[in-house]
Amino acid sequence: MTKQTTVRMGRKQAFGSVFGSVFCGVIALSLFGVAVYMAVSAVGRLGLVGHQLTMRVTDCEASAPATTSRGGGHPDLDCRGFVDPAPASDGGKRWITASGFSSEPVFGAPLEVAKEPWGSWVPVDQGGWNRLGRALSPLIPLAFAGLFAKVTVAAYRGWRSSRRLPAEASA
């Protein structure tokens, strides 16, 4: 029979362990929230939810500066256009504004847009690499959230077991 001994933690060590555990837990929850946001955004950008329409762009304007502090960058464009075919009941054109264009689209050409779950219209990703990157992007923060959650659980279990076992306890 082997004898196991556990030394009780001092107050500073226990406080540090609990604080580190809570801190890692908050980071894990935040990263999980980022992963959920990216997944829901990807659903809209990939056109996997309803409300996908064809839009003909008539004009665009920059909603963010075209340059960054380092001198480069792309403008974030908001483009206005009409839905093709117009499902408006009065026979007129139905106008919508889509945001999130990284480059200026061809005016008058049909363009697929989808409505994100929170109501904004965005262009649907067309390229294979863009679609793959958008679909896999939530996995990065999800992996880090799992790592921080694992650290949190391990720290909590270590803290909890050190409080249960008295010094010089045997199994």
Side-chain angles (χ1 to χ4, degrees):
M1 186 181 299
T2 61
K3 185 176 179 182
Q4 290 182 337
T5 59
T6 304
V7 179
R8 288 174 105 22
M9 284 190 202
R11 285 186 181 193
K12 288 182 180 180
Q13 285 179 324
F15 178 73
S17 177
V18 170
F19 180 74
S21 174
V22 169
F23 185 70
C24 285
V26 168
I27 291 174
L29 286 175
S30 299
L31 287 171
F32 183 71
V34 168
V36 168
Y37 170 79
M38 290 176 78
V40 171
S41 178
V43 165
R45 292 274 184 161
L46 295 173
L48 299 176
V49 293
H51 305 98
Q52 189 170 350
L53 299 173
T54 302
M55 170 180 147
R56 294 191 183 269
V57 177
T58 57
D59 64 325
C60 292
E61 61 184 45
S63 61
T67 59
T68 62
S69 61
R70 291 182 235 142
H74 298 283
D76 188 22
L77 298 174
D78 293 339
C79 295
R80 182 169 161 80
F82 60 92
V83 176
D84 187 36
S89 60
D90 61 358
K93 293 180 180 177
R94 179 176 168 209
W95 293 88
I96 60 173
T97 301
S99 60
F101 290 90
S102 58
S103 62
E104 194 167 316
V106 178
F107 292 111
L111 178 71
E112 296 292 323
V113 293
K115 196 171 195 176
E116 287 185 315
W118 40 85
S120 59
W121 291 95
V122 293
V124 175
D125 288 337
Q126 298 298 325
W129 287 111
N130 288 345
R131 295 177 70 84
L132 181 66
R134 183 81 61 183
L136 296 178
S137 63
L139 296 179
I140 295 169
L142 193 61
F144 281 106
L147 179 70
F148 278 101
K150 185 176 179 179
V151 168
T152 302
V153 169
Y156 175 73
R157 285 183 179 164
W159 173 77
R160 191 169 172 209
S161 67
S162 70
R163 291 187 51 105
R164 281 190 178 173
L165 294 174
E168 303 297 322
S170 61

